[in-house]
Amino acid sequence: MRVVGHRSSVDEVIAALNEQLSAGAWAPGERIPTELELVAELGVSRTVVREAVRALVHLERLESRQGAGTFVVSTADPAPMLRQLRLAEVRDVFEVQLAYDVQAARLAAMRRDDADIQRLRELLDLRDRADSPETFAAADVDFHVAVVAAARNPVLSEMYRYLSERLQESLETVRADAALSEGGPVTHRALLDAIVDGDPEAAAAAAHAVIEPSLTSLWGVLEERGNAQ
C-alpha cells in the first residue's frame, strides 16, 4: 500500500483504502489489516486511520466486528457518497459560523478599538491577496477570528477557537470547488466598514451577507448532486 504520510488528511487515507479495495487486495468477507498495521503501512496517525475506517463503515463498505476486526462488505466505489457527506459537513460548519459571526460582528461594532481596526484592515488585505485555497482559507479564518476578538466576549472567543480548524478546512473545500460560492471582497469590506463606523446592526447584516452565498450554493449543489445519484 502506498505511504501517504503523517500530514495526510482522512480523505487521502480513505482514497488509499479505496484503491486497495478496488484492486481486489481484500475481497468481500475478508478482514483488512489491523489499525496498527494500517498506521505502519500508511505512515499516518491512529486517529486518521480510525476516522477513515469509520467513514467506510458508515458507508457500509466495511464492517467492524467486536473482537474480530474490520471486514470488507462491498467493493463499490464510495467516492460520490463521500463527496456528498463532505459537503453536508461543510454546510453544517457554515451554519454554526453564521450564528457566531452575526453576534460577533454586532458586538465588535460596539467594542472595537483602534488596534482592532488596524488589525482587521491588515488581515483583510492578506485575504484579498491570497492565491491558493490553503492561504485563502487561513487568511479568511484569521480575519473572522479577529472580528470575534474585537467583540470582547471570552466565551465566544473560546467557542470560535474550537470551530476555527473545521472552518478553515471547510473554506478550502469551498475555494477549491468551482460549483461553490463564497463571500467575496465586497461583502467582507462592508463588514469591516460597519465595524469601523460603530454600527452594530449594519455589521450584523454584513456578517450574514458574508456567509449566506456559501450556504445557498451548498444547499443547491447538495440537492443537485443528490438528485443525480
Side-chain angles (χ1 to χ4, degrees):
M1 197 184 307
R2 65 184 175 88
V3 176
V4 295
H6 289 288
R7 295 179 61 83
S8 297
S9 69
V10 173
D11 288 343
E12 289 176 288
V13 174
I14 290 172
L17 296 176
N18 186 44
E19 288 175 7
Q20 294 296 103
L21 289 165
S22 299
W26 310 310
E30 183 178 351
R31 183 177 67 83
I32 69 170
T34 67
E35 186 176 282
L36 287 177
E37 288 170 336
L38 290 173
V39 166
E41 289 187 51
L42 294 167
V44 297
S45 70
R46 292 186 68 174
T47 300
V48 170
V49 167
R50 190 175 299 124
E51 290 187 18
V53 170
R54 187 182 297 125
L56 291 173
V57 169
H58 180 72
L59 291 172
E60 299 183 352
R61 195 170 195 203
L62 297 176
E63 178 186 24
S64 181
R65 301 176 189 171
Q66 185 68 33
T70 303
F71 294 78
V72 178
V73 175
S74 170
T75 57
D77 183 4
M81 182 61 73
L82 285 170
R83 285 193 293 270
Q84 193 78 350
L85 288 173
R86 175 59 178 153
L87 288 182
E89 291 173 0
V90 171
R91 178 201 59 200
D92 294 342
V93 170
F94 281 131
E95 287 177 347
V96 173
Q97 186 199 9
L98 178 62
Y100 286 174
D101 276 27
V102 168
Q103 180 64 2
R106 182 181 286 113
L107 294 174
M110 294 187 288
R111 300 173 179 173
R112 87 289 182 272
D113 59 23
D114 290 344
D116 292 322
I117 292 172
Q118 181 62 29
R119 176 69 173 156
L120 288 169
R121 284 174 172 155
E122 292 171 356
L123 291 172
L124 192 54
D125 286 342
L126 288 174
R127 182 190 186 278
D128 291 344
R129 296 199 302 269
D131 58 2
S132 73
E134 293 77 17
T135 57
F136 165 80
D140 187 272
V141 169
D142 286 345
F143 174 78
H144 288 280
V145 167
V147 172
V148 173
R152 302 288 191 276
N153 183 309
V155 175
L156 182 58
S157 292
E158 184 63 26
M159 294 172 70
Y160 210 87
R161 189 175 300 112
Y162 178 81
L163 174 70
S164 60
E165 183 176 347
R166 292 294 300 278
L167 178 58
Q168 184 166 331
E169 294 172 358
S170 298
L171 286 163
E172 289 179 20
T173 298
V174 169
R175 191 70 164 185
D177 192 328
L180 298 175
S181 302
E182 49 88 15
V186 173
T187 55
H188 280 78
R189 189 65 58 180
L191 172 58
L192 175 57
D193 289 344
I195 292 172
V196 171
D197 292 342
D199 188 333
E201 296 313 310
H208 188 282
V210 163
I211 303 166
E212 190 274 336
S214 295
L215 278 173
T216 299
S217 65
L218 280 163
W219 276 109
V221 169
L222 281 166
E223 182 177 359
E224 178 184 340
R225 294 179 182 176
N227 292 337
Q229 291 180 9

